Amino acid sequence: GPKVLQIPSHQIIDMGQMVTLNCDPVSNHLYFYWYKQILGQQMEFLVNFYNGKVMEKSKLFKDQFSVERPDGSYFTLKIQPTALEDSAVYFCASSRDSLNQDTQYFGPGTRLLVL
Amino acid sequence: QQKVQQSPESLIVPEGAMTSLNCTFSDSASQYFAWYRQHSGKAPKALMSIFSNGEKEEGRFTIHLNKASLHFSLHIRDSQPSDSALYLCAVSMRPGTGSNRLTFGKGTKFSLIP
């Protein structure tokens, strides 16, 4: 089936530094998402992105977070500066459209540890 | 704020068994209901989804939705070793508006007796 790739699979970073998480979505998909999962808790929606714009974001999407997809390359989540509470697994997802609640396809996640 | 809860937390069954996983949600305006399966260290993979009250069957899996009870379930028939995984239920409020965020449960860890 369709595959979403995420790079890197693991990242360890010092608090206060910047980190960029990369997502390679399914090739003909137009909607992109980030979800965050803290250890032992459920996966939670962060943001969705379409046509170069943030469509919706949750309260977890702090001012230190930003997303972009320049020129059809990776869809990225940047955190600057990082904080200890940003340690989590970040899942990227993509879907073809949203009109009919098209299936969201997920990547395997990037495990981020902030020290 | 939407709350999604799954039961049981874990389930161990013999191969060939039939079993049910449950999901409750809090917001009666929810429109879309889905099950995902996640093997350890892998991406969550969509299994089945449903919009309207009733049942939908695909192979050994059946999804059942009762909106009035704020409940939907996944039934697995003839359990196989490859079914061992974490099962996540997900709910969306309002598809078709450009916003289809999924709210997930914590998951049910499903295993077969070795």
Side-chain angles (χ1 to χ4, degrees), chain A residues 7-20:
Chain A
I7 301 158
S9 59
H10 294 78
Q11 179 88 52
I12 301 175
I13 197 163
D14 289 326
M15 183 176 64
Q17 287 193 304
M18 181 193 78
V19 68
T20 300

Side-chain angles (χ1 to χ4, degrees), chain A residues 23-103:
Chain A
C23 172
D24 188 9
V26 179
S27 61
N28 62 343
H29 284 187
L30 301 176
Y31 290 81
F32 313 111
Y33 313 82
W34 285 103
Y35 290 80
K36 175 183 178 181
Q37 185 176 33
I38 293 173
L39 188 65
Q41 299 182 24
Q42 58 252 65
M43 208 182 330
E44 292 189 273
F45 171 82
L46 280 177
V47 65
N48 66 8
F49 187 84
Y50 168 73
N51 198 25
K53 292 180 221 160
V54 169
M55 300 297 290
E56 186 185 8
K57 58 186 180 181
S58 73
K59 62 180 188 298
L60 296 180
F61 193 79
K62 305 181 296 184
D63 291 343
Q64 297 88 331
F65 288 27
S66 62
V67 291
E68 63 175 356
R69 192 184 188 212
D71 299 325
S73 60
Y74 288 147
F75 174 51
T76 63
L77 172 66
K78 186 186 294 185
I79 309 174
Q80 181 178 25
T82 50
L84 295 177
E85 61 266 26
D86 297 330
S87 293
V89 182
Y90 290 85
F91 290 93
C92 171
S94 69
S95 66
R96 203 170 36 183
D97 64 46
S98 74
L99 285 179
N100 296 304
Q101 187 66 56
D102 205 35
T103 299

Side-chain angles (χ1 to χ4, degrees), chain B residues 6-13 21 35 38 40 83-88 106-112:
Chain B
Q6 292 187 238
S7 64
E9 284 186 19
S10 63
L11 197 51
I12 305 177
V13 302
L21 284 62
W35 285 96
Q38 185 179 23
S40 183
D83 296 333
S84 295
L86 181 69
Y87 286 77
L88 302 168
K106 275 192 175 183
T108 292
K109 188 173 178 187
F110 180 73
S111 310
L112 266 63

